[in-house]
Amino acid sequence: MAEAETDARRLATEARDRVRFEEEALGLADQVYRVARRLVPSREEAEDLVQETYARAFRSWRSYTPGTNLRAWLMRILTNLNIDRGRREQRAPDMQPMEEGDYFLYNRLEETSGPADEERIVERLSQDSIVEALSNVPHDFRDAIVLVDIGDFSYQEAAQILDVPIGTVMSRLHRGRRVLKSELAESAVSDGDEP
Amino acid sequence: MSEFEPICEKCEERLQPFLDRELSEAERLEAETHLAECDYCGKRYRFEISLRRYVRSCCSEEMSSELKAKLANLRLAE
């Protein structure tokens, strides 16, 4: 019964590989969620998106090559699902994001509330204003910021996940950070205007 | 720090590529030399570093334990 034995062994190996895959994938869930939460506007949508991602990942685990980057593989599924479902809010076509130079936000903060320790001056920005400013960054730019700055993906990984050349990731990242800072400068100024 | 600190934009364009390690060796050395002597640019570089860290901590939201349990269930349901 050598054949049956081989079959049994093959099944056992597959079951073991599968369990290993699932455990490894679940171990990355916190990181996957953290990115998902900033790619979509609400917590509910982020939770749905992560669930759909894992459902699909568990179904198609065989297409993952062991030893390759599972975190990026999961994120690729997630960003594709996000695009497929048309979840990403559309930006009005005529709205060009405002971009200022890279010193602009610091200068503005110094102007509105006086000089301070440059490492503490960020604390003049509230957590809510940071979250809101990021959500106002157009999604192409924001995806790059979220993957690299919040998800800790390398430029190369972000390029693979978004399916764009690495130079595009860089330029979106740089422009996105400038837009983010312009948004923050605006909110810092309007907060300062309040009585 | 002087009240009339001169404005310097020498390193502004290089801020992001410097922090992202995208500059050539020569450009990086040039930026480092400037940063060592220019307080104006140095402050803005340190600000950028702390801003990135701050954005990351403000925007990192943990998943709920309910969601975690749901994900584990997806696996068992198969």
PDB file of all heavy atoms in Angstrom, chain B residues 43-66:
ATOM      1  N   LYS B  43      17.117  72.598  12.485  1.00  0.00           N
ATOM      2  CA  LYS B  43      15.873  72.557  13.248  1.00  0.00           C
ATOM      3  C   LYS B  43      14.740  71.962  12.433  1.00  0.00           C
ATOM      4  O   LYS B  43      13.933  71.192  12.922  1.00  0.00           O
ATOM      5  CB  LYS B  43      15.457  73.994  13.595  1.00  0.00           C
ATOM      6  CG  LYS B  43      15.860  74.428  14.960  1.00  0.00           C
ATOM      7  CD  LYS B  43      15.074  75.670  15.307  1.00  0.00           C
ATOM      8  CE  LYS B  43      16.017  76.838  15.371  1.00  0.00           C
ATOM      9  NZ  LYS B  43      15.411  78.112  15.634  1.00  0.00           N
ATOM     10  N   ARG B  44      14.682  72.384  11.180  1.00  0.00           N
ATOM     11  CA  ARG B  44      13.598  71.916  10.312  1.00  0.00           C
ATOM     12  C   ARG B  44      13.752  70.438   9.952  1.00  0.00           C
ATOM     13  O   ARG B  44      12.762  69.737   9.758  1.00  0.00           O
ATOM     14  CB  ARG B  44      13.495  72.819   9.089  1.00  0.00           C
ATOM     15  CG  ARG B  44      12.801  74.144   9.463  1.00  0.00           C
ATOM     16  CD  ARG B  44      13.197  75.336   8.633  1.00  0.00           C
ATOM     17  NE  ARG B  44      12.543  76.543   9.151  1.00  0.00           N
ATOM     18  CZ  ARG B  44      12.975  77.242  10.205  1.00  0.00           C
ATOM     19  NH1 ARG B  44      14.067  76.866  10.865  1.00  0.00           N
ATOM     20  NH2 ARG B  44      12.309  78.308  10.614  1.00  0.00           N
ATOM     21  N   TYR B  45      14.967  69.975   9.893  1.00  0.00           N
ATOM     22  CA  TYR B  45      15.184  68.536   9.669  1.00  0.00           C
ATOM     23  C   TYR B  45      14.748  67.734  10.899  1.00  0.00           C
ATOM     24  O   TYR B  45      14.094  66.711  10.789  1.00  0.00           O
ATOM     25  CB  TYR B  45      16.661  68.248   9.339  1.00  0.00           C
ATOM     26  CG  TYR B  45      16.969  68.347   7.861  1.00  0.00           C
ATOM     27  CD1 TYR B  45      16.679  69.507   7.144  1.00  0.00           C
ATOM     28  CD2 TYR B  45      17.537  67.283   7.173  1.00  0.00           C
ATOM     29  CE1 TYR B  45      16.950  69.609   5.794  1.00  0.00           C
ATOM     30  CE2 TYR B  45      17.811  67.367   5.807  1.00  0.00           C
ATOM     31  CZ  TYR B  45      17.522  68.539   5.132  1.00  0.00           C
ATOM     32  OH  TYR B  45      17.786  68.619   3.792  1.00  0.00           O
ATOM     33  N   ARG B  46      15.134  68.231  12.071  1.00  0.00           N
ATOM     34  CA  ARG B  46      14.752  67.502  13.288  1.00  0.00           C
ATOM     35  C   ARG B  46      13.238  67.529  13.465  1.00  0.00           C
ATOM     36  O   ARG B  46      12.642  66.552  13.919  1.00  0.00           O
ATOM     37  CB  ARG B  46      15.464  68.085  14.510  1.00  0.00           C
ATOM     38  CG  ARG B  46      16.956  67.766  14.516  1.00  0.00           C
ATOM     39  CD  ARG B  46      17.612  68.130  15.834  1.00  0.00           C
ATOM     40  NE  ARG B  46      17.617  69.569  16.085  1.00  0.00           N
ATOM     41  CZ  ARG B  46      18.542  70.414  15.590  1.00  0.00           C
ATOM     42  NH1 ARG B  46      19.517  69.956  14.829  1.00  0.00           N
ATOM     43  NH2 ARG B  46      18.490  71.707  15.859  1.00  0.00           N
ATOM     44  N   PHE B  47      12.641  68.638  13.084  1.00  0.00           N
ATOM     45  CA  PHE B  47      11.182  68.724  13.144  1.00  0.00           C
ATOM     46  C   PHE B  47      10.546  67.664  12.236  1.00  0.00           C
ATOM     47  O   PHE B  47       9.603  66.974  12.627  1.00  0.00           O
ATOM     48  CB  PHE B  47      10.703  70.120  12.722  1.00  0.00           C
ATOM     49  CG  PHE B  47       9.217  70.207  12.506  1.00  0.00           C
ATOM     50  CD1 PHE B  47       8.345  70.188  13.590  1.00  0.00           C
ATOM     51  CD2 PHE B  47       8.687  70.280  11.226  1.00  0.00           C
ATOM     52  CE1 PHE B  47       6.968  70.247  13.397  1.00  0.00           C
ATOM     53  CE2 PHE B  47       7.314  70.337  11.025  1.00  0.00           C
ATOM     54  CZ  PHE B  47       6.450  70.318  12.106  1.00  0.00           C
ATOM     55  N   GLU B  48      11.061  67.529  11.026  1.00  0.00           N
ATOM     56  CA  GLU B  48      10.508  66.562  10.069  1.00  0.00           C
ATOM     57  C   GLU B  48      10.575  65.136  10.626  1.00  0.00           C
ATOM     58  O   GLU B  48       9.625  64.361  10.496  1.00  0.00           O
ATOM     59  CB  GLU B  48      11.275  66.648   8.745  1.00  0.00           C
ATOM     60  CG  GLU B  48      10.751  65.724   7.649  1.00  0.00           C
ATOM     61  CD  GLU B  48       9.524  66.268   6.933  1.00  0.00           C
ATOM     62  OE1 GLU B  48       9.171  67.439   7.155  1.00  0.00           O
ATOM     63  OE2 GLU B  48       8.906  65.499   6.162  1.00  0.00           O
ATOM     64  N   ILE B  49      11.696  64.824  11.253  1.00  0.00           N
ATOM     65  CA  ILE B  49      11.847  63.483  11.825  1.00  0.00           C
ATOM     66  C   ILE B  49      10.805  63.260  12.921  1.00  0.00           C
ATOM     67  O   ILE B  49      10.132  62.237  12.961  1.00  0.00           O
ATOM     68  CB  ILE B  49      13.276  63.286  12.388  1.00  0.00           C
ATOM     69  CG1 ILE B  49      14.282  63.304  11.233  1.00  0.00           C
ATOM     70  CG2 ILE B  49      13.385  61.980  13.177  1.00  0.00           C
ATOM     71  CD1 ILE B  49      15.733  63.395  11.677  1.00  0.00           C
ATOM     72  N   SER B  50      10.642  64.268  13.799  1.00  0.00           N
ATOM     73  CA  SER B  50       9.667  64.061  14.868  1.00  0.00           C
ATOM     74  C   SER B  50       8.245  64.094  14.332  1.00  0.00           C
ATOM     75  O   SER B  50       7.373  63.391  14.840  1.00  0.00           O
ATOM     76  CB  SER B  50       9.862  65.056  16.009  1.00  0.00           C
ATOM     77  OG  SER B  50       9.742  66.361  15.526  1.00  0.00           O
ATOM     78  N   LEU B  51       8.008  64.843  13.254  1.00  0.00           N
ATOM     79  CA  LEU B  51       6.671  64.851  12.644  1.00  0.00           C
ATOM     80  C   LEU B  51       6.319  63.461  12.096  1.00  0.00           C
ATOM     81  O   LEU B  51       5.226  62.955  12.319  1.00  0.00           O
ATOM     82  CB  LEU B  51       6.591  65.894  11.524  1.00  0.00           C
ATOM     83  CG  LEU B  51       5.252  65.933  10.776  1.00  0.00           C
ATOM     84  CD1 LEU B  51       4.117  66.438  11.682  1.00  0.00           C
ATOM     85  CD2 LEU B  51       5.337  66.817   9.523  1.00  0.00           C
ATOM     86  N   ARG B  52       7.245  62.858  11.400  1.00  0.00           N
ATOM     87  CA  ARG B  52       6.983  61.522  10.851  1.00  0.00           C
ATOM     88  C   ARG B  52       6.651  60.529  11.955  1.00  0.00           C
ATOM     89  O   ARG B  52       5.749  59.711  11.829  1.00  0.00           O
ATOM     90  CB  ARG B  52       8.190  61.020  10.057  1.00  0.00           C
ATOM     91  CG  ARG B  52       8.361  61.749   8.740  1.00  0.00           C
ATOM     92  CD  ARG B  52       9.459  61.100   7.930  1.00  0.00           C
ATOM     93  NE  ARG B  52       9.750  61.868   6.732  1.00  0.00           N
ATOM     94  CZ  ARG B  52      10.610  61.477   5.807  1.00  0.00           C
ATOM     95  NH1 ARG B  52      11.252  60.339   5.937  1.00  0.00           N
ATOM     96  NH2 ARG B  52      10.826  62.234   4.744  1.00  0.00           N
ATOM     97  N   ARG B  53       7.426  60.628  13.040  1.00  0.00           N
ATOM     98  CA  ARG B  53       7.195  59.723  14.162  1.00  0.00           C
ATOM     99  C   ARG B  53       5.809  59.988  14.769  1.00  0.00           C
ATOM    100  O   ARG B  53       5.071  59.071  15.118  1.00  0.00           O
ATOM    101  CB  ARG B  53       8.296  59.945  15.203  1.00  0.00           C
ATOM    102  CG  ARG B  53       8.486  58.780  16.137  1.00  0.00           C
ATOM    103  CD  ARG B  53       9.648  59.018  17.095  1.00  0.00           C
ATOM    104  NE  ARG B  53      10.916  59.228  16.418  1.00  0.00           N
ATOM    105  CZ  ARG B  53      11.810  60.163  16.763  1.00  0.00           C
ATOM    106  NH1 ARG B  53      11.566  61.013  17.734  1.00  0.00           N
ATOM    107  NH2 ARG B  53      12.956  60.267  16.113  1.00  0.00           N
ATOM    108  N   TYR B  54       5.473  61.269  14.859  1.00  0.00           N
ATOM    109  CA  TYR B  54       4.198  61.668  15.468  1.00  0.00           C
ATOM    110  C   TYR B  54       3.006  61.220  14.600  1.00  0.00           C
ATOM    111  O   TYR B  54       2.018  60.698  15.106  1.00  0.00           O
ATOM    112  CB  TYR B  54       4.205  63.189  15.644  1.00  0.00           C
ATOM    113  CG  TYR B  54       3.093  63.744  16.497  1.00  0.00           C
ATOM    114  CD1 TYR B  54       2.945  63.373  17.824  1.00  0.00           C
ATOM    115  CD2 TYR B  54       2.194  64.680  15.972  1.00  0.00           C
ATOM    116  CE1 TYR B  54       1.931  63.895  18.610  1.00  0.00           C
ATOM    117  CE2 TYR B  54       1.180  65.216  16.750  1.00  0.00           C
ATOM    118  CZ  TYR B  54       1.050  64.823  18.060  1.00  0.00           C
ATOM    119  OH  TYR B  54       0.047  65.346  18.828  1.00  0.00           O
ATOM    120  N   VAL B  55       3.127  61.407  13.298  1.00  0.00           N
ATOM    121  CA  VAL B  55       2.062  60.977  12.373  1.00  0.00           C
ATOM    122  C   VAL B  55       1.835  59.487  12.540  1.00  0.00           C
ATOM    123  O   VAL B  55       0.708  58.997  12.646  1.00  0.00           O
ATOM    124  CB  VAL B  55       2.433  61.292  10.902  1.00  0.00           C
ATOM    125  CG1 VAL B  55       1.502  60.574   9.924  1.00  0.00           C
ATOM    126  CG2 VAL B  55       2.401  62.797  10.655  1.00  0.00           C
ATOM    127  N   ARG B  56       2.924  58.763  12.605  1.00  0.00           N
ATOM    128  CA  ARG B  56       2.830  57.323  12.741  1.00  0.00           C
ATOM    129  C   ARG B  56       2.118  56.933  14.034  1.00  0.00           C
ATOM    130  O   ARG B  56       1.235  56.078  14.035  1.00  0.00           O
ATOM    131  CB  ARG B  56       4.251  56.788  12.722  1.00  0.00           C
ATOM    132  CG  ARG B  56       4.388  55.338  12.814  1.00  0.00           C
ATOM    133  CD  ARG B  56       5.841  55.094  13.198  1.00  0.00           C
ATOM    134  NE  ARG B  56       6.039  53.710  13.489  1.00  0.00           N
ATOM    135  CZ  ARG B  56       6.315  52.829  12.548  1.00  0.00           C
ATOM    136  NH1 ARG B  56       6.456  53.188  11.307  1.00  0.00           N
ATOM    137  NH2 ARG B  56       6.448  51.568  12.871  1.00  0.00           N
ATOM    138  N   SER B  57       2.471  57.594  15.139  1.00  0.00           N
ATOM    139  CA  SER B  57       1.834  57.193  16.397  1.00  0.00           C
ATOM    140  C   SER B  57       0.381  57.657  16.448  1.00  0.00           C
ATOM    141  O   SER B  57      -0.474  56.950  16.958  1.00  0.00           O
ATOM    142  CB  SER B  57       2.634  57.682  17.602  1.00  0.00           C
ATOM    143  OG  SER B  57       2.427  59.055  17.797  1.00  0.00           O
ATOM    144  N   CYS B  58       0.073  58.816  15.878  1.00  0.00           N
ATOM    145  CA  CYS B  58      -1.319  59.293  15.889  1.00  0.00           C
ATOM    146  C   CYS B  58      -2.212  58.442  14.988  1.00  0.00           C
ATOM    147  O   CYS B  58      -3.407  58.323  15.227  1.00  0.00           O
ATOM    148  CB  CYS B  58      -1.411  60.740  15.409  1.00  0.00           C
ATOM    149  SG  CYS B  58      -0.748  61.922  16.567  1.00  0.00           S
ATOM    150  N   CYS B  59      -1.641  57.901  13.938  1.00  0.00           N
ATOM    151  CA  CYS B  59      -2.457  57.206  12.942  1.00  0.00           C
ATOM    152  C   CYS B  59      -2.428  55.689  13.093  1.00  0.00           C
ATOM    153  O   CYS B  59      -2.924  54.973  12.245  1.00  0.00           O
ATOM    154  CB  CYS B  59      -2.028  57.601  11.535  1.00  0.00           C
ATOM    155  SG  CYS B  59      -2.363  59.329  11.189  1.00  0.00           S
ATOM    156  N   SER B  60      -1.821  55.218  14.158  1.00  0.00           N
ATOM    157  CA  SER B  60      -1.778  53.766  14.353  1.00  0.00           C
ATOM    158  C   SER B  60      -2.893  53.349  15.296  1.00  0.00           C
ATOM    159  O   SER B  60      -2.832  53.621  16.485  1.00  0.00           O
ATOM    160  CB  SER B  60      -0.426  53.345  14.937  1.00  0.00           C
ATOM    161  OG  SER B  60       0.580  53.602  13.997  1.00  0.00           O
ATOM    162  N   GLU B  61      -3.905  52.721  14.731  1.00  0.00           N
ATOM    163  CA  GLU B  61      -5.030  52.305  15.553  1.00  0.00           C
ATOM    164  C   GLU B  61      -5.020  50.785  15.635  1.00  0.00           C
ATOM    165  O   GLU B  61      -4.890  50.109  14.619  1.00  0.00           O
ATOM    166  CB  GLU B  61      -6.315  52.794  14.880  1.00  0.00           C
ATOM    167  CG  GLU B  61      -7.508  52.802  15.772  1.00  0.00           C
ATOM    168  CD  GLU B  61      -8.712  53.399  15.045  1.00  0.00           C
ATOM    169  OE1 GLU B  61      -8.682  54.595  14.680  1.00  0.00           O
ATOM    170  OE2 GLU B  61      -9.670  52.642  14.815  1.00  0.00           O
ATOM    171  N   GLU B  62      -5.141  50.256  16.832  1.00  0.00           N
ATOM    172  CA  GLU B  62      -5.099  48.802  16.994  1.00  0.00           C
ATOM    173  C   GLU B  62      -6.425  48.174  16.607  1.00  0.00           C
ATOM    174  O   GLU B  62      -7.473  48.780  16.739  1.00  0.00           O
ATOM    175  CB  GLU B  62      -4.770  48.452  18.449  1.00  0.00           C
ATOM    176  CG  GLU B  62      -3.423  48.975  18.927  1.00  0.00           C
ATOM    177  CD  GLU B  62      -2.253  48.578  18.022  1.00  0.00           C
ATOM    178  OE1 GLU B  62      -2.195  47.402  17.596  1.00  0.00           O
ATOM    179  OE2 GLU B  62      -1.397  49.442  17.734  1.00  0.00           O
ATOM    180  N   MET B  63      -6.371  46.963  16.154  1.00  0.00           N
ATOM    181  CA  MET B  63      -7.611  46.268  15.803  1.00  0.00           C
ATOM    182  C   MET B  63      -8.287  45.755  17.069  1.00  0.00           C
ATOM    183  O   MET B  63      -7.640  45.520  18.085  1.00  0.00           O
ATOM    184  CB  MET B  63      -7.332  45.132  14.826  1.00  0.00           C
ATOM    185  CG  MET B  63      -6.655  43.916  15.419  1.00  0.00           C
ATOM    186  SD  MET B  63      -5.972  42.837  14.129  1.00  0.00           S
ATOM    187  CE  MET B  63      -7.454  42.158  13.489  1.00  0.00           C
ATOM    188  N   SER B  64      -9.594  45.572  16.977  1.00  0.00           N
ATOM    189  CA  SER B  64     -10.341  45.099  18.138  1.00  0.00           C
ATOM    190  C   SER B  64     -10.127  43.593  18.313  1.00  0.00           C
ATOM    191  O   SER B  64      -9.817  42.887  17.359  1.00  0.00           O
ATOM    192  CB  SER B  64     -11.831  45.380  17.949  1.00  0.00           C
ATOM    193  OG  SER B  64     -12.319  44.626  16.865  1.00  0.00           O
ATOM    194  N   SER B  65     -10.340  43.129  19.533  1.00  0.00           N
ATOM    195  CA  SER B  65     -10.184  41.688  19.767  1.00  0.00           C
ATOM    196  C   SER B  65     -11.301  40.913  19.053  1.00  0.00           C
ATOM    197  O   SER B  65     -11.124  39.759  18.680  1.00  0.00           O
ATOM    198  CB  SER B  65     -10.160  41.375  21.260  1.00  0.00           C
ATOM    199  OG  SER B  65     -11.227  42.016  21.898  1.00  0.00           O
ATOM    200  N   GLU B  66     -12.463  41.583  18.857  1.00  0.00           N
ATOM    201  CA  GLU B  66     -13.550  40.929  18.112  1.00  0.00           C
ATOM    202  C   GLU B  66     -13.113  40.601  16.693  1.00  0.00           C
ATOM    203  O   GLU B  66     -13.353  39.514  16.185  1.00  0.00           O
ATOM    204  CB  GLU B  66     -14.799  41.832  18.034  1.00  0.00           C
ATOM    205  CG  GLU B  66     -15.577  41.969  19.332  1.00  0.00           C
ATOM    206  CD  GLU B  66     -14.976  43.025  20.251  1.00  0.00           C
ATOM    207  OE1 GLU B  66     -14.034  43.742  19.831  1.00  0.00           O
ATOM    208  OE2 GLU B  66     -15.432  43.125  21.403  1.00  0.00           O
TER     209      GLU B  66
END
